[in-house]
């Protein structure tokens, strides 16, 4: 018997023993070390077929031992063995372990983090080892997937989504630990980790409701990020542009969430006070509400009045150098919520209605934009456009509906939908009117029956995708999505809002491949949603202060802010938001008059 055959026999024997005595740690431990020694000793000499065996069989034993150590809470030792596994096994194993310890204490999480940092390469190299970056990418992308949902009541759904945002934030915590100083390029790696962690935008849109419950995911995320970012900003090295841009954005968000937290705190006090009749309320309780109100207003004004660096406007221009026609895409996963706050279970009809509503919202946006900007379109052309759009949407719907009836009937409609006629017409319209829509799709998520997946796609034009975007409102796609978000899509059920749990915007090429993130769209969408909301909340708080006889001295400044052409805030408001603004103002004025009329006794 040759030497290598004997070693191969030994390996199989080891696996057999480990299997037979799965509870015997000494056995597995012995096996794992034999594997390591054999690999080390025979690295050079072994032949291909035998190498294969040493790898697969050896991996099985090492895997077993790693899991054993993990189950005994020796997370710090896992890296030594896991790093010897084949790349994909190592990544799978770490992802598995890190997901299992997601809710664990910082101490335990840090042990796994250190173990991975110390024994694995940071970036994927040529040495066929699993890298830290690959593990993190997998974790992040898995955390953003729609989770399979099983709900008994619709009220559960909202709370589930809130909790899921927390789970998503907890994954980001892996990126917020300090790497050990012993590894090479530690500074570089720290910066890289942090930049990957700055993905807070979609968290912002998870909870915009005026309720006391905090958007826990976002607050948790910001608390994770605060410390490492503080360290980073204290070492004023020459950062690359995108790093300082990200730092600025983080500060913008953390300011926003301070406003959010103080507002919800005020709301909580206010709601508690409302349970008691006004006469029975103690002076302290009234005073607490007033203090909280003032704090909310002060912080919000700081955010709104920033003149030199307005909130969430990036200085980096997103200019594409591509000569090809360039497209913009927005992908969102969202939940539908009724005006009552309950979630709504979508069906095929709702999806079709939403699709059509998004579509016509885009058309109207483009048409009105061009009518006002250029005065170029004749009313005939608008008519033509609208008719064509209707037909096109209908054909699209027929394709989708007929797909459910089997492939043969759908072929017919597909043929029509993809007929050159349409693209020619659209091309003509594109040229003549710069109409920019391409594609709208809405579907129920295959995993969670309460989630829908929305895809919007349109042509990039000057000022929206090409060249600088001076309006900072995210352009067409952001306008359409914001209308959905605010529950103001014409021709869709009034007041039903889209609540986003996942959001990405991309530049994409003609054939549909994604080229890179179009950050300005998401930032613009956040501006459209968050800034009017902050202002409306201020109005609400200010009215309440007036009612209690303690008017807020800078109230009129809110009106100036909204109407000023310099801030451009008015463009971020929707019709209904402006109405709400005016109603608050009316209430404020009435209160003021009543207060003046009262005889000062
Ligand atoms: C972590 O906690 C959440 C919420 O309590 C739970 O749904 C999830 O299953 C937990 N994850 C693990 C790995 O324990």
């Amino acid at each position: 018997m040759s030497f290598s055959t004997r070693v191969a026999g030994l390996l199989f024997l080891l696996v057999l023993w480990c299997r037979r005595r799965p509870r015997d740690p000494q056995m597995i431990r012995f096996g794992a070390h034999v594997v390591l020694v054999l690999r080390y000793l025979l690295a050079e000499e072994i032949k291909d077929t035998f190498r294969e065996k040493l790898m697969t069989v050896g991996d099985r034993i090492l895997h077993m031992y790693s899991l054993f150590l993990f189950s005994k809470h020796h997370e710090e030792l896992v890296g030594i063995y896991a790093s010897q596994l084949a790349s994909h096994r190592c990544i799978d194993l770490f992802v598995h372990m890190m997901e299992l310890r997601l809710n664990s204490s910082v101490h335990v999480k840090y042990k796994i983090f250190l173990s991975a940092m110390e024994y694995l390469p940071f970036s994927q190299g040529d040495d066929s080892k699993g890298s830290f970056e690959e593990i993190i990418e997998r974790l992040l992308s898995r955390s953003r997937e729609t989770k399979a949902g099983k709900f008994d009541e619709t009220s559960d759904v909202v709370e589930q989504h809130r909790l899921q945002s927390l789970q998503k934030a907890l994954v980001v915590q892996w990126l917020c630990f300090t790497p050990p100083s012993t590894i090479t390029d530690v500074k570089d790696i720290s910066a890289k980790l942090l930049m990957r962690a700055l993905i807070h935008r979609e968290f912002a849109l998870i909870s915009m409701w005026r309720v006391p419950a905090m958007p826990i995911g976002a607050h948790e995320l910001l608390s994770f990020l605060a410390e490492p970012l503080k360290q980073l900003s204290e070492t004023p090295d020459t950062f690359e542009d995108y790093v300082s841009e990200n730092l600025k954005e983080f500060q913008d968000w953390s300011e926003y969430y301070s406003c959010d937290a103080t507002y919800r705190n005020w709301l909580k006090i206010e709601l508690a006070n409302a349970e008691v009749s006004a006469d029975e309320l103690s002076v302290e309780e009234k005073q607490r509400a007033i203090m909280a109100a003032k704090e909310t207003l002060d912080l919000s004004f700081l955010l709104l009045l920033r003149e030199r660096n307005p909130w969430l406007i990036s200085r980096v221009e997103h200019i594409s150098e591509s000569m090809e026609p360039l497209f913009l895409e927005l992908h969102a996963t969202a939940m539908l919520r009724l005006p009552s706050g309950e979630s709504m279970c979508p069906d095929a009809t709702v999806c079709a209605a939403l699709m059509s509503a998004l579509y016509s919202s885009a058309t109207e946006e483009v048409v009105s934009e061009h009518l006002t900007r250029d005065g170029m379109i004749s009313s005939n052309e608008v008519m033509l456009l609208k008719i064509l759009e209707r037909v096109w949407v209908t054909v699209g719907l027929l394709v989708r509906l007929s797909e459910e009836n089997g492939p043969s009937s759908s072929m017919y409609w597909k043929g029509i939908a993809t007929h050159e006629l349409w693209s020619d017409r659209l091309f003509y319209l594109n040229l003549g009117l710069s109409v920019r829509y391409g594609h709208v799709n809405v579907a129920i998520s295959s995993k969670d029956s309460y989630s829908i997946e929305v895809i919007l796609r349109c042509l990039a034009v000057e000022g929206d995708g090409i060249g600088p975007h001076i309006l900072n409102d995210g352009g067409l796609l952001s306008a359409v999505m914001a209308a959905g978000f605010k529950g103001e899509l014409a021709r869709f059920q009034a007041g039903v809002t889209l609540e986003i749990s996942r959001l990405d915007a991309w530049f994409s090429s003609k054939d549909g491949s994604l080229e890179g993130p179009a950050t300005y769209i998401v930032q613009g969408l956040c501006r459209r949603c968050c800034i009017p909301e902050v202002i409306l909340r201020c109005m609400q708080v200010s009215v309440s202060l007036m009612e209690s006889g303690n008017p807020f001295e800078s109230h009129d400044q809110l009106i100036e802010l909204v109407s000023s052409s310099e801030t451009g805030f008015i463009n971020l408001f929707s019709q209904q938001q402006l109405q709400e603004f005016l109603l608050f103002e009316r209430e404020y004025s009435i209160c003021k008059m009543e207060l003046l009329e009262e005889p000062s006794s």
Side-chain angles (χ1 to χ4, degrees):
M1 226 195 291
S2 76
F3 175 65
S4 53
T5 326
R6 253 180 269 168
V7 176
L10 170 64
L11 280 173
F12 278 113
L13 216 54
L14 279 174
V15 174
L16 210 65
W17 288 340
C18 292
R19 285 253 177 82
R20 270 205 202 129
R21 298 162 64 184
R23 261 170 256 283
D24 185 350
Q26 295 308 335
M27 191 63 238
I28 308 177
R29 181 157 173 251
F30 171 69
H33 287 115
V34 170
V35 170
L36 290 188
V37 168
L38 282 177
R39 282 190 186 177
Y40 181 76
L41 285 180
L42 307 175
E44 304 290 296
E45 298 156 29
I46 48 183
K47 289 192 285 291
D48 284 348
T49 49
F50 179 60
R51 176 188 296 271
E52 190 71 27
K53 255 174 212 151
L54 191 54
M55 287 303 151
T56 49
V57 177
D59 271 8
R60 219 178 297 160
I61 295 173
L62 288 173
H63 192 266
M64 231 186 273
Y65 189 52
S66 303
L67 275 180
F68 168 77
L69 287 171
F70 177 74
S71 71
K72 294 287 172 218
H73 296 275
H74 287 301
E75 288 88 354
E76 70 281 3
L77 298 176
V78 166
I80 308 172
Y81 302 94
S83 64
Q84 301 299 319
L85 292 170
S87 161
H88 67 280
R89 290 195 191 103
C90 168
I91 295 170
D92 289 349
L93 180 63
F94 263 104
V95 168
H96 175 68
M97 294 190 299
M98 286 161 105
E99 281 182 345
L100 281 177
R101 294 285 188 265
L102 197 60
N103 297 336
S104 302
S105 67
V106 175
H107 172 69
V108 171
K109 286 180 94 170
Y110 189 58
K111 281 202 294 186
I112 302 188
F113 171 83
L114 269 188
S115 184
M117 271 286 158
E118 280 171 348
Y119 293 101
L120 302 181
F122 183 75
S123 301
Q124 193 179 8
D126 43 18
D127 55 359
S128 73
K129 271 195 180 189
S131 69
F132 189 82
E133 262 181 345
E134 288 169 286
I135 295 168
I136 280 297
E137 284 308 320
R138 174 94 63 86
L139 279 169
L140 284 174
S141 100
R142 279 170 61 92
S143 77
R144 294 185 71 218
E145 280 170 10
T146 310
K147 303 286 179 298
K150 271 228 158 72
F151 311 105
D152 300 329
E153 283 186 41
T154 49
S155 57
D156 289 350
V157 183
V158 175
E159 186 56 16
Q160 283 267 355
H161 278 238
R162 206 170 75 99
L163 290 176
Q164 277 170 14
S165 82
L166 179 63
Q167 295 291 299
K168 201 154 72 167
L170 283 171
V171 171
V172 180
Q173 192 179 22
W174 294 115
L175 293 157
C176 300
F177 291 121
T178 315
S181 54
T182 46
I183 57 175
T184 46
D185 292 338
V186 65
K187 274 185 76 161
D188 236 28
I189 288 176
S190 303
K192 271 188 193 160
L193 283 176
L194 218 48
M195 289 312 114
R196 198 64 192 82
L198 293 168
I199 51 158
H200 29 257
R201 293 180 204 105
E202 71 189 6
F203 282 87
L205 302 171
I206 290 173
S207 181
M208 305 272 292
W209 291 70
R210 286 177 216 156
V211 291
M214 293 275 178
I216 37 178
H219 282 279
E220 192 75 8
L221 179 64
L222 286 173
S223 73
F224 293 148
L225 284 167
E227 181 56 31
L229 278 166
K230 199 167 128 252
Q231 285 179 12
L232 196 65
S233 56
E234 276 167 4
T235 50
D237 281 6
T238 46
F239 281 135
E240 288 177 45
D241 263 2
Y242 76 92
V243 179
S244 43
E245 229 5 76
N246 272 311
L247 276 177
K248 176 189 172 304
E249 197 178 328
F250 168 77
Q251 270 134 19
D252 284 358
W253 281 116
S254 103
E255 237 175 279
Y256 173 78
Y257 280 110
S258 308
C259 295
D260 182 80
T262 49
Y263 169 78
R264 288 182 205 271
N265 179 35
W266 168 78
L267 196 59
K268 205 163 101 194
I269 298 173
E270 199 62 12
L271 289 176
N273 284 357
E275 308 237 305
V276 190
S277 79
D279 311 328
E280 289 170 31
L281 218 56
S282 70
V283 179
E284 287 83 46
E285 280 165 325
K286 282 185 196 161
Q287 209 54 39
R288 255 183 75 207
I290 294 172
M291 294 296 289
K294 293 223 157 117
E295 198 187 353
T296 308
L297 288 167
D298 288 344
L299 278 179
S300 305
F301 266 69
L302 281 182
L303 183 146
L304 295 168
L305 286 175
R306 293 166 30 164
E307 272 170 18
R308 271 187 298 133
N309 63 344
W311 190 76
L312 215 61
I313 289 184
S314 69
R315 283 157 297 175
V316 175
E317 283 172 7
H318 306 274
I319 299 175
S320 158
E321 285 153 15
S322 157
M323 300 306 285
E324 291 272 295
L326 191 66
F327 289 82
L328 305 169
E329 270 186 43
L330 190 143
H331 298 196
T333 305
M335 166 174 69
L336 292 169
R337 274 178 89 168
L338 298 164
S340 65
E342 278 179 17
S343 58
M344 176 175 137
C345 193
D347 57 21
T349 328
V350 170
C351 286
L354 179 60
M355 193 161 108
S356 159
L358 287 168
Y359 202 81
S360 39
S361 162
T363 322
E364 257 146 45
E365 191 74 28
V366 171
V367 171
S368 68
E369 189 184 307
H370 280 268
L371 278 176
T372 51
R373 198 189 283 168
D374 319 325
M376 252 175 49
I377 312 179
S378 74
S379 54
N380 272 347
E381 281 169 314
V382 174
M383 284 285 281
L384 175 67
L385 182 65
K386 291 203 162 170
I387 293 167
L388 199 73
E389 170 228 317
R390 253 333 132 68
V391 178
W392 209 45
V393 169
T394 315
V395 171
L397 287 183
L398 286 171
V399 171
R400 288 163 48 79
L401 291 177
S402 58
E403 264 168 3
E404 286 164 19
N405 293 339
S408 61
S409 81
S410 89
M411 283 305 283
Y412 174 69
W413 289 111
K414 255 190 198 150
I416 294 191
T418 52
H419 195 284
E420 253 172 75
L421 177 74
W422 300 111
S423 51
D424 279 359
R425 283 284 161 90
L426 281 177
F427 184 66
Y428 162 73
L429 285 167
N430 260 327
L431 273 186
L433 307 170
S434 306
V435 168
R436 299 157 42 202
Y437 47 71
H439 175 74
V440 176
N441 195 31
V442 178
I444 299 173
S445 157
S446 55
K447 292 205 180 121
D448 172 4
S449 57
Y450 276 88
S451 285
I452 51 169
E453 274 152 22
V454 179
I455 296 178
L456 303 175
R457 179 176 156 91
C458 76
L459 194 67
V461 293
E462 197 67 39
D464 185 4
I466 301 173
H469 194 271
I470 34 175
L471 292 178
N472 294 306
D473 62 0
L476 178 65
L477 295 188
S478 136
V480 175
M481 210 59 208
F485 203 90
K486 296 176 185 180
E488 296 185 38
L489 283 172
R491 291 182 233 154
F492 189 60
Q493 304 178 30
V496 171
T497 56
L498 291 176
E499 188 155 293
I500 290 167
S501 54
R502 175 182 171 143
L503 182 69
D504 290 294
W506 308 90
F507 288 109
S508 99
S509 67
K510 203 172 152 201
D511 62 10
S513 54
L514 303 178
E515 306 260 313
T519 312
Y520 80 95
I521 296 181
V522 183
Q523 284 176 333
L525 180 58
C526 291
R527 273 176 63 80
R528 276 182 196 269
C529 294
C530 298
I531 287 195
E533 184 57 28
V534 169
I535 293 177
L536 287 172
R537 288 174 181 184
C538 284
M539 291 297 278
Q540 186 192 8
V541 173
S542 179
V543 167
S544 151
L545 274 180
M546 185 51 124
E547 278 169 354
S548 70
N550 298 278
F552 173 53
E553 60 277 11
S554 312
H555 175 86
D556 290 344
Q557 230 179 322
L558 281 168
I559 320 272
E560 285 162 29
L561 264 175
V562 174
S563 56
S564 138
S565 59
E566 252 166 64
T567 60
F569 285 168
I570 194 149
N571 300 321
L572 306 174
F573 276 73
S574 67
Q575 281 298 325
Q576 274 178 36
Q577 284 179 319
L578 276 179
Q579 267 174 25
E580 201 184 354
F581 183 80
L582 293 177
L583 281 179
F584 274 131
E585 179 57 20
R586 182 166 161 265
E587 217 177 314
Y588 180 87
S589 308
I590 293 174
C591 265
K592 193 171 171 182
M593 280 192 292
E594 280 172 0
L595 219 65
L596 286 176
E597 276 167 17
E598 260 175 36
S600 47
S601 49

